[in-house]
């Protein structure tokens, strides 16, 4: 469902498998369910919902940061219990944690999103905030153009009004 872009429906279905009384998305986030987060980020990316895309990508990154921070507690425990094999496994995991499939997928989506935002800076032109004027209807384009013309005309009138007031003061011998 997420790959089909039906994020809301996918969240409803996931709610059947999570705790009652708590939103499914919060529960999945608490359980560090990264497949759901990366697929949600991909769905929002395809919908061009940049804010939600980046939110999901940063949640994945936060999970990996939490994993690394949790491993600090394991260092003294391993030395105390003399579990050398488990400790070596932990060290190998720390070396390759940023190479995990979900981390790379989330990073790839985040990079594409940032590049897209850089190429098309955010403006509130069409209400979505992605700066795409091409998606506007003809009526919206005309409305936007007339709004720009009125703003330019108002600015010109203000400049002219200030100049005339200054000119009138000079004629009267006053200083402004």
């Amino acid at each position: 469902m997420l790959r089909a872009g039906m994020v809301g429906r996918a969240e409803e279905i996931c709610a059947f498998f999570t705790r009652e009384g708590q939103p499914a998305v919060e529960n999945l986030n608490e359980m560090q369910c990264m497949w759901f987060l990366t697929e949600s980020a991909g769905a929002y990316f395809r919908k061009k919902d940049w804010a939600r895309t980046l939110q999901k990508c940063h949640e994945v990154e936060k999970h990996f940061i939490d994993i690394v921070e949790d491993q600090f507690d394991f260092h003294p425990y391993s030395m105390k219990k003399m579990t050398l094999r488990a400790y070596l496994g932990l060290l190998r995991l720390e070396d390759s944690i940023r190479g995990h499939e979900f981390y790379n997928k989330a990073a790839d989506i985040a990079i594409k999103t940032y590049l897209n935002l850089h190429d098309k800076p955010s403006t509130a032109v069409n209400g979505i905030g992605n700066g795409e004027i091409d998606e506007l209807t003809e009526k919206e384009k005309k409305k936007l153009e007339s709004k720009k013309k009125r703003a330019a005309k108002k600015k010109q009138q203000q400049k002219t009004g200030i100049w005339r007031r200054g000119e009138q003061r000079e004629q009267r011998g006053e200083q402004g």
Side-chain angles (χ1 to χ4, degrees), residues 4-171:
M6 297 186 280
V7 180
R9 181 75 177 126
E11 290 174 0
E12 290 173 12
I13 290 175
C14 283
F16 293 126
F17 303 100
T18 59
R19 277 188 246 147
E20 288 185 40
Q22 189 177 18
V25 177
E26 283 182 25
N27 200 313
L28 290 169
N29 196 10
E30 181 182 313
M31 292 187 299
Q32 296 182 342
C33 186
M34 288 186 244
W35 69 266
F36 187 81
L37 291 173
T38 53
E39 291 296 329
S40 297
Y44 287 129
F45 179 79
R46 288 186 292 278
K47 288 182 172 184
K48 297 182 180 180
D49 188 348
W50 310 130
R52 289 187 181 171
T53 301
L54 291 174
Q55 177 187 11
K56 298 297 179 188
C57 291
H58 286 289
E59 286 175 8
V60 171
E61 181 191 24
K62 185 182 179 307
H63 290 319
F64 278 94
I65 290 170
D66 290 343
I67 290 169
V68 170
E69 287 176 357
D70 290 344
Q71 291 171 357
F72 286 119
D73 295 335
F74 192 69
H75 289 282
Y77 172 80
S78 294
M79 290 301 159
K80 186 171 83 176
K81 295 291 184 177
M82 294 305 285
T83 54
L84 190 58
R85 175 179 265 168
Y87 187 67
L88 290 174
L90 169 72
L91 293 176
R92 287 188 189 106
L93 175 69
E94 285 180 350
D95 290 341
S96 63
I97 191 86
R98 303 281 188 214
H100 194 276
E101 174 188 357
F102 290 125
Y103 186 84
N104 288 333
K105 191 172 183 180
D108 183 49
I109 294 169
I111 290 168
K112 287 178 183 176
T113 303
Y114 281 123
L115 288 174
N116 208 330
L117 287 172
H118 181 268
D119 292 343
K120 297 177 182 177
S122 178
T123 58
V125 173
N126 61 358
I128 298 174
N130 58 5
E132 295 180 5
I133 297 175
D134 300 338
E135 295 179 5
L136 295 175
T137 63
E138 288 298 319
K139 187 177 179 182
E140 291 171 331
K141 287 180 183 178
K142 287 180 182 178
K143 189 176 179 182
L144 181 64
E145 287 298 319
S146 67
K147 195 174 184 180
K148 286 180 182 178
K149 286 179 184 177
R150 280 184 291 197
K153 188 176 179 181
K154 186 176 180 181
K155 190 175 182 180
Q156 184 63 32
Q157 286 176 347
Q158 288 175 345
K159 283 183 179 179
T160 306
I162 291 170
W163 180 79
R164 286 185 182 155
R165 279 188 232 122
E167 184 181 67
Q168 291 170 355
R169 286 183 187 143
E170 287 177 9
Q171 289 175 354

